Amino acid sequence: MALVTLSGYPSSGKTRRAIQLKEHLDRRVADPSCNCPAQKVVVLSDDTLNIDRSSYNDSRSEKPARAALFAAIQRQMGPDTILIVDALNYIKGFRYQLYCAARELKLRTCTVYVVATAELCQRWNAERTDDRGYRAETLGNLVARYEEPSSMVRWDSPLFTVPWSESDVPIELIWKTITEGNVKPPNVGTQAVPKAPSDALHTLEQVSTSVVRAILTEQGASGMSGGPVTFRLTETVKPQGRLPARTLTLSELQRMKRQFVTLQKKAITLGTVEKGMIDWSEERVAQKFVDYLEENLKA
């Protein structure tokens, strides 16, 4: 249903805001008068995923930690879930990645920017007694590299800024956004590209070979001398085309077949079908090969 991304300095109070937000949302979802599709509110954080704060000490350990968080987010996102991501989310590229994943599933999104000064965050981090604090050096580096959310970019918008001095989150505005806000459809950048079927290569080889055999058979039986022709490969596969007014040799047809197969193989090897525009059925492959012959055989 919705993705709520929290962002802010380390030890800025994001978890406190996530708890407040979950309590509000839980009550609203449980209300009998609520007609939204949400059935549960889920909070994902470094703590729920057992990601240690030391993971942020260097980039080598941070990357797999962020990948684990993103994988967990993808598993939890769904039409019946309000997902709250209580993590640093300090890199705008990562927030954009979350936005794209949510948009692909047609979920509403918003960002909650938890604001506190660097001095306050350092003090609160030093006062922690739960072994979940950051090293002073790590905290300083994360603050220096923090990329602040902006309401001017689509992946951070709608953006709700919550200063440390506020006692609660703007639940009314957030609730309206995640229940009534516009659902942006997936675009080219977020849509999954359809993959070729597993038997596409087999179909390509088998059908193109059948077309070559049909041409040679027709030439031998009727002395075909070019012009419009229909090849009856099966009851349903009957490609039509126009061939040159001369006898086609086996070697020439085999060469054209290899060229055709090589051209089509690229889409299969890359796992794509030209954004879904290629039909890998026997009928379509046969017609495509006959069209290729018509265009490339010399008269």
Side-chain angles (χ1 to χ4, degrees), residues 1-4 20-42 79-84 108-112 158-160 169-182:
M1 175 186 169
L3 172 69
V4 181
Q20 290 176 335
L21 190 53
K22 187 176 189 305
E23 289 175 349
H24 287 301
L25 295 176
D26 277 336
R27 284 195 293 269
R28 299 201 175 205
V29 169
D31 190 329
S33 64
C34 176
N35 59 2
C36 69
Q39 298 179 12
K40 58 183 177 179
V41 181
V42 176
D80 64 343
T81 303
I82 299 175
L83 180 59
I84 302 169
R108 294 182 176 90
T109 64
C110 71
T111 303
V112 178
L159 177 65
F160 302 101
V169 294
I171 185 59
E172 293 297 338
L173 293 174
I174 294 174
W175 177 254
K176 185 174 182 179
T177 296
I178 63 178
T179 57
E180 302 176 18
N182 293 330

Side-chain angles (χ1 to χ4, degrees), residues 223-237:
M224 181 183 66
S225 59
V229 61
T230 298
F231 299 105
R232 187 188 179 100
L233 303 186
T234 67
E235 286 296 325
T236 57
V237 183

Side-chain angles (χ1 to χ4, degrees), residues 57-118:
N57 291 344
D58 59 77
S59 59
R60 182 177 298 179
S61 57
E62 181 180 344
K63 286 181 180 178
R66 196 160 56 242
L69 175 63
F70 182 69
I73 291 169
Q74 287 184 302
R75 289 194 297 269
Q76 289 290 345
M77 285 193 299
D80 64 343
T81 303
I82 299 175
L83 180 59
I84 302 169
V85 182
D86 171 24
L88 289 175
N89 301 320
Y90 72 100
I91 300 173
K92 62 183 178 182
F94 184 68
R95 295 197 299 270
Y96 177 71
Q97 191 177 8
L98 297 182
Y99 166 81
C100 289
R103 188 168 176 178
E104 185 176 336
L105 296 177
K106 298 183 180 180
L107 306 183
R108 294 182 176 90
T109 64
C110 71
T111 303
V112 178
Y113 179 22
V114 181
V115 178
T117 66

Side-chain angles (χ1 to χ4, degrees), residues 250-260 292 297:
L250 173 61
S251 60
E252 184 178 19
L253 290 171
Q254 291 283 32
R255 177 172 55 81
M256 299 303 295
K257 169 183 172 277
R258 285 195 299 270
Q259 291 175 358
F260 173 76
Y292 179 83
L297 283 173

Side-chain angles (χ1 to χ4, degrees), residues 157-287:
S157 180
L159 177 65
F160 302 101
T161 301
V162 185
W164 77 92
S165 55
E166 294 290 333
S167 60
D168 207 346
V169 294
I171 185 59
E172 293 297 338
L173 293 174
I174 294 174
W175 177 254
K176 185 174 182 179
T177 296
I178 63 178
T179 57
E180 302 176 18
N182 293 330
V183 178
K184 298 179 181 178
N187 57 20
V188 175
T190 61
Q191 284 182 319
V193 178
K195 291 186 177 182
S198 58
D199 63 345
L201 183 58
H202 174 72
T203 300
L204 184 62
E205 289 281 358
Q206 185 181 51
V207 172
S208 56
T209 298
S210 296
V211 171
V212 170
R213 188 183 301 118
I215 293 175
L216 295 174
T217 300
E218 186 68 22
Q219 285 186 156
S222 62
M224 181 183 66
S225 59
V229 61
T230 298
F231 299 105
R232 187 188 179 100
L233 303 186
T234 67
E235 286 296 325
T236 57
V237 183
K238 304 172 184 178
Q240 299 177 340
R242 178 181 291 273
L243 298 180
R246 62 179 179 81
T247 300
L248 301 173
T249 65
L250 173 61
S251 60
E252 184 178 19
L253 290 171
Q254 291 283 32
R255 177 172 55 81
M256 299 303 295
K257 169 183 172 277
R258 285 195 299 270
Q259 291 175 358
F260 173 76
V261 169
T262 299
L263 287 172
Q264 304 307 313
K265 263 186 181 180
K266 184 177 180 181
I268 301 175
T269 304
L270 294 177
T272 65
V273 291
E274 294 183 3
K275 298 180 181 178
M277 297 305 294
I278 295 178
D279 178 359
W280 291 99
S281 65
E282 291 184 354
E283 297 91 331
R284 182 58 187 146
V285 171
Q287 186 60 57

Side-chain angles (χ1 to χ4, degrees), residues 112-160:
V112 178
Y113 179 22
V114 181
V115 178
T117 66
E119 292 75 17
L120 276 174
C121 294
Q122 291 168 353
R123 192 182 81 196
W124 292 337
N125 183 69
E127 291 174 352
R128 298 190 71 131
T129 59
D130 56 5
D131 296 327
R132 292 179 179 175
Y134 298 87
R135 288 193 333 193
E137 181 183 357
T138 299
L139 189 145
N141 287 335
L142 290 172
V143 168
R145 292 189 285 125
Y146 185 76
E147 296 176 331
E148 184 176 325
S150 170
S151 60
M152 301 298 291
V153 297
R154 62 188 183 279
W155 58 87
D156 287 334
S157 180
L159 177 65
F160 302 101

